[in-house]
Amino acid sequence: MTYKISIEEVENSSSKEIDFHFEDNIEGINCITPITSDLKIKSLGEFMEITGNVKGIVKLECDLCLKEFEYKIDFDIDEMFAKKALLDDYGQEFELKEGQFVTDLDGADEIDIYDLLYQSVILNLPNKKVCGINCNGNKFLKEENLSDPRLDVFKNIKIDGKEEI
């Protein structure tokens, strides 16, 4: 199945909007359940707007204990796309304010929904991936039997005026 939406198809619809259902795994993301999304794609003159909700369950690795855990994603998308290049209109620097972020399609005739969802899921994953509030990752990292034997050479280093570390 193709996950690209033709701008012309949206323009030619009677209401200048179409609904799009996505349900699939996304390559590069460890999906436990398929990522699902019901999107509404609207033409707004020189802009296209994509809104909807994204859901699914992905497998992440805890940053503290390194165990895998399930993480439920459920977030809304609200993206704007400019049909023509914006760079010509803004020759000098200007400040972006809330709600002004627009993706420049630079004259492309379609929008890649797969890529939009990949980027959206990645950006909505937590910065610090922790399996739970009671994660004992510190205990795991301090266990003596998990030390790296390549680092043993540093155990007996002597620094001038100090005893062994």
Side-chain angles (χ1 to χ4, degrees), residues 58-87:
V58 297
K59 189 180 290 187
L60 300 177
E61 183 178 276
C62 179
D63 290 338
L64 298 177
C65 68
L66 306 179
K67 292 180 183 174
E68 290 185 336
F69 67 99
E70 292 181 4
Y71 182 78
K72 182 179 177 183
I73 56 172
D74 186 355
F75 61 90
D76 292 328
I77 285 183
D78 187 1
E79 296 287 328
M80 292 289 285
F81 295 85
K83 294 177 188 173
K84 297 188 167 109
L86 290 173
L87 190 57

Side-chain angles (χ1 to χ4, degrees), residues 61-64 69 126 128-133 135:
E61 183 178 276
C62 179
D63 290 338
L64 298 177
F69 67 99
K128 182 99 170 159
K129 299 166 192 75
V130 180
C131 62
I133 194 166
C135 178

Side-chain angles (χ1 to χ4, degrees), residues 28-66:
I29 298 173
N30 196 351
C31 300
I32 294 174
T33 65
I35 302 298
T36 60
S37 184
D38 288 308
L39 303 173
K40 185 174 289 294
I41 299 120
K42 293 182 194 177
S43 175
L44 305 171
E46 292 298 313
F47 297 93
M48 300 290 290
E49 179 183 43
I50 299 180
T51 57
N53 182 267
V54 180
K55 293 182 180 181
I57 300 174
V58 297
K59 189 180 290 187
L60 300 177
E61 183 178 276
C62 179
D63 290 338
L64 298 177
C65 68
L66 306 179

Side-chain angles (χ1 to χ4, degrees), residues 1-157:
M1 179 176 183
T2 181
Y3 297 115
K4 296 188 179 195
I5 298 295
S6 165
I7 293 172
E8 185 178 343
E9 179 185 347
V10 178
E11 292 285 342
N12 292 336
S13 69
S14 60
S15 61
K16 297 221 182 266
E17 66 181 50
I18 61 171
D19 293 326
F20 185 84
H21 178 74
F22 178 93
E23 186 168 350
D24 202 351
N25 290 329
I26 297 179
E27 188 175 327
I29 298 173
N30 196 351
C31 300
I32 294 174
T33 65
I35 302 298
T36 60
S37 184
D38 288 308
L39 303 173
K40 185 174 289 294
I41 299 120
K42 293 182 194 177
S43 175
L44 305 171
E46 292 298 313
F47 297 93
M48 300 290 290
E49 179 183 43
I50 299 180
T51 57
N53 182 267
V54 180
K55 293 182 180 181
I57 300 174
V58 297
K59 189 180 290 187
L60 300 177
E61 183 178 276
C62 179
D63 290 338
L64 298 177
C65 68
L66 306 179
K67 292 180 183 174
E68 290 185 336
F69 67 99
E70 292 181 4
Y71 182 78
K72 182 179 177 183
I73 56 172
D74 186 355
F75 61 90
D76 292 328
I77 285 183
D78 187 1
E79 296 287 328
M80 292 289 285
F81 295 85
K83 294 177 188 173
K84 297 188 167 109
L86 290 173
L87 190 57
D88 298 336
D89 296 340
Y90 303 106
Q92 57 186 341
E93 288 185 23
F94 65 98
E95 179 183 352
L96 285 175
K97 296 183 172 88
E98 185 177 346
Q100 287 184 321
F101 185 77
V102 177
T103 302
D104 193 342
L105 292 174
D106 198 18
D109 58 353
E110 58 189 16
I111 299 172
D112 188 344
I113 299 297
Y114 189 89
D115 185 54
L116 170 66
L117 290 174
Y118 171 80
Q119 290 181 36
S120 297
V121 169
I122 292 296
L123 290 172
N124 279 280
L125 293 177
N127 290 333
K128 182 99 170 159
K129 299 166 192 75
V130 180
C131 62
I133 194 166
N134 296 323
C135 178
N136 61 355
N138 289 336
K139 177 185 172 205
F140 175 81
L141 295 175
K142 291 178 183 175
E143 290 180 17
E144 293 295 327
N145 60 354
L146 293 176
S147 66
D148 189 338
R150 296 172 295 180
L151 300 177
D152 287 346
V153 70
F154 296 109
K155 286 183 178 176
N156 298 320
I157 290 181

Side-chain angles (χ1 to χ4, degrees), residues 155-159 162-165:
K155 286 183 178 176
N156 298 320
I157 290 181
K158 291 185 181 182
I159 300 175
K162 295 188 178 183
E163 295 184 29
E164 291 182 10
I165 298 176

